[in-house]
Amino acid sequence: MSSLAQIAAESGVSVSTASRALRGKGEMTPQTRARVLAVAQRHRYSSTGVRRGRPRTGTSRLFDLVLGTFHDPYADEVTAGAHLAAARHRFDLVLTAERETPDDDWPLRIRSRGSAGVVLGLILPTAAQIALLHDAGIPIVLMDPRAEAGESLTSVRTTDHAGGAAAAEHLLAAGAERFIVVDAAPSYRFGRARVQGFESTVRSRYPAASIHRVRADWTSPGAWRVSVPALREAAAAGPVGVFAVSDEMAIGVYRAATDVGLQIGRDVLVVGFDDVRGAKWVQPALTTVHQPIREMAGAAIDELAAIAHGADPQPRIIELATTLVVRGSTGMAGTGADGVSRESPRGRPRRETA
């Protein structure tokens, strides 16, 4: 088994610096800390009180929530749901920012404080990061991972494919025969599922429908730029149904419709996805697929709490249902208790297909 001196020598640092790096203590550059950790991980270095990174009194009564940003409506909902669930289990919640840089040391920071578990929101950790936390005995739960994590980690997500299908059913009922899908790049797991659910449903229900897919980054300005030419080309008799894979991108469609001289809810019927804060305050209010963001965060914390109390941490997928929330952007007034319109479909009758 490698010694601390060997780890230090291979890392090009002193023994004391290597020790501080492994314990998450002391001042040093992120590059130095990451280099020591990489060498220790490669040699499977183990030392009592060092490898596990736990306080000597045991696991801290806290969970870590790791997100790439904490300054948007989605992050606000995740934080609120995780905080409420952690408090219910009598744990504290630590907010940890992930930086998209190779020297980001968030796993080490989590290990050094002896966290009882980690929720990673919209993040798929690297194999090295998983191993570092696993070696410290710290369980990980993924919330809405951007890619499939295989069978090694528990993940909490929503019915993205079914949500896309519900959006398609609604736009078809609203009288749309031509469709624009505002897809996003990078093409994350959940975005692909939403588009597949939408397009497969339109194809099966109305084979003659025209579907034009455009792609932008996950922002409102990006969606606006690609939607202007798409809407200008699609402007003709009858409403155009637009499905955006996020609410933020749907708002970009609003601006594009204004630029082209089309009216949302009459000429352009828009459905978003997420139902984040603000979706009901735009004019007209946005019809969208509600995903239970707070509940997903709460379910992830519940899973960690169960493990902390002795449950077997068997990896699994926890899937929560989406719900279509109908508002003015699709010209369908009135909703039932489940958020689905009970009104008669508007728009011209659809031609029957063989």
Side-chain angles (χ1 to χ4, degrees):
M1 180 180 294
S2 299
S3 68
L4 181 59
Q6 291 172 313
I7 299 300
E10 187 170 335
S11 303
V13 300
S14 67
V15 171
S16 61
T17 297
S19 177
R20 292 197 304 273
L22 292 169
R23 289 184 290 113
K25 306 295 184 181
E27 295 295 329
M28 66 188 70
T29 66
Q31 292 87 347
T32 298
R33 196 184 303 277
R35 187 168 69 253
V36 174
L37 288 173
V39 173
Q41 182 63 42
R42 187 164 61 250
H43 288 280
R44 306 296 295 174
Y45 174 73
S46 175
S47 178
T48 302
V50 174
R51 181 177 69 90
R52 293 186 61 81
R54 297 292 201 182
R56 294 186 183 278
T57 55
T59 302
S60 298
R61 289 194 65 82
L62 61 86
F63 296 126
D64 273 84
L65 171 63
V66 184
L67 291 172
T69 178
F70 287 92
H71 304 291
D72 60 50
Y74 183 93
D76 289 346
E77 290 294 301
V78 173
T79 303
H83 179 264
L84 288 172
R88 187 174 68 251
H89 293 290
R90 298 187 178 182
F91 278 74
D92 292 325
L93 183 71
V94 177
L95 305 184
T96 301
E98 183 231 22
R99 301 182 299 272
E100 293 186 357
T101 58
D103 60 355
D104 187 9
D105 63 349
W106 63 262
L108 178 65
R109 286 179 276 137
I110 290 172
R111 193 184 72 169
S112 68
R113 53 180 168 258
S115 178
V118 184
V119 174
L120 302 181
L122 300 176
I123 296 170
L124 187 64
T126 65
Q129 291 170 335
I130 294 173
L132 187 65
L133 294 175
H134 176 76
D135 285 351
I138 301 175
I140 303 170
V141 174
L142 306 179
M143 178 182 162
D144 229 4
R146 291 175 172 175
E148 294 295 347
E151 300 179 354
S152 62
L153 297 173
T154 291
S155 67
V156 182
R157 58 186 66 180
T158 55
T159 52
D160 293 290
H161 190 280
E169 294 278 12
H170 178 67
L171 287 174
L172 287 164
E177 296 182 352
R178 293 165 298 119
F179 300 90
I180 297 172
V181 174
V182 185
D183 197 359
S187 180
Y188 298 133
R189 172 198 59 80
F190 39 80
R192 292 194 298 271
R194 295 167 191 179
V195 170
Q196 290 166 1
F198 182 87
E199 293 186 346
S200 63
T201 300
V202 170
R203 296 297 186 200
S204 65
R205 300 289 189 274
Y206 187 43
S210 167
I211 303 177
H212 178 46
R213 192 195 302 184
V214 296
R215 178 170 289 179
D217 58 13
W218 291 83
T219 66
S220 177
W224 162 68
R225 284 190 292 269
V226 299
S227 296
V228 166
L231 287 173
R232 186 175 288 123
E233 181 180 344
V240 178
V242 179
F243 174 57
V245 296
S246 77
D247 287 349
E248 183 174 353
M249 299 182 78
I251 300 307
V253 177
Y254 275 51
R255 179 182 171 189
T258 299
D259 290 350
V260 177
L262 300 175
Q263 182 177 327
I264 299 292
R266 185 192 66 187
D267 309 308
V268 183
L269 312 179
V270 184
V271 178
F273 205 111
D274 286 335
D275 197 24
V276 295
R277 184 181 67 246
K280 61 183 178 182
W281 301 120
V282 294
Q283 292 298 322
L286 177 64
T287 294
T288 186
V289 178
H290 172 82
Q291 59 170 335
I293 301 172
R294 289 196 184 200
E295 291 82 354
M296 282 197 295
I301 292 292
D302 290 344
E303 187 74 6
L304 291 178
I307 295 172
H309 287 97
D312 187 10
Q314 289 296 327
R316 62 194 181 109
I317 293 177
I318 302 170
E319 197 170 59
L320 278 65
T322 53
T323 307
L324 181 69
V325 179
V326 180
R327 302 188 179 111
S329 66
T330 50
M332 303 275 282
T335 60
D338 59 359
V340 179
S341 174
R342 303 302 185 195
E343 298 281 315
S344 298
R346 70 176 297 282
R348 58 196 174 109
R350 181 170 299 106
R351 296 184 298 273
E352 294 297 327
T353 59

